[in-house]
Amino acid sequence: MQTLTLEITDSSAMPALKALVSKKAIKIISKDEMHSPALPGEPFSLYALKQWISNAESAPSMSLKQARSQWANRRKQLQRIGK
């Protein structure tokens, strides 16, 4: 099975597609049912994806050393709570 996304620009193509559906050669899906494990939720438009990338690039960052230190502190706090 392969999934394709098509844009039908001429309504005269619909009878041919409906004939393929009746022969069970294809299935017409009204909404894209692909689920990406990398990006759950609603699909991004190209504009929204570019905005998301831009925001991620301009977001503050920290060094790996700082991140490890913060995680070690947080882990200690969580371990104290769990006891």
Side-chain angles (χ1 to χ4, degrees), residues 17 28 45 75 83:
L17 289 174
I28 296 177
S45 66
R75 184 176 55 211
K83 288 183 180 180

Side-chain angles (χ1 to χ4, degrees), residues 4-55:
L4 301 172
T5 301
L6 302 172
E7 180 179 350
I8 314 276
T9 57
D10 187 0
S11 61
S12 64
M14 288 306 292
L17 289 174
K18 288 180 181 178
L20 289 171
V21 169
S22 68
K23 293 178 185 177
K24 300 191 186 222
I26 65 170
K27 178 181 173 185
I28 296 177
I29 303 170
S30 62
K31 184 179 178 190
D32 186 12
E33 291 182 356
M34 290 182 60
H35 299 289
S36 170
L39 299 171
E42 293 296 316
F44 275 159
S45 66
L46 185 56
Y47 175 76
L49 179 62
K50 286 180 180 180
Q51 286 296 111
W52 181 75
I53 290 170
S54 176
N55 291 341

Side-chain angles (χ1 to χ4, degrees), residues 38-82:
L39 299 171
E42 293 296 316
F44 275 159
S45 66
L46 185 56
Y47 175 76
L49 179 62
K50 286 180 180 180
Q51 286 296 111
W52 181 75
I53 290 170
S54 176
N55 291 341
E57 288 175 343
S58 63
S61 61
M62 67 173 67
S63 71
L64 182 58
K65 188 175 183 178
Q66 288 175 312
R68 284 182 177 161
S69 174
Q70 285 186 8
W71 171 243
N73 291 336
R74 182 68 178 145
R75 184 176 55 211
K76 288 177 187 174
Q77 290 174 353
L78 290 171
Q79 287 173 343
R80 275 189 244 129
I81 292 171

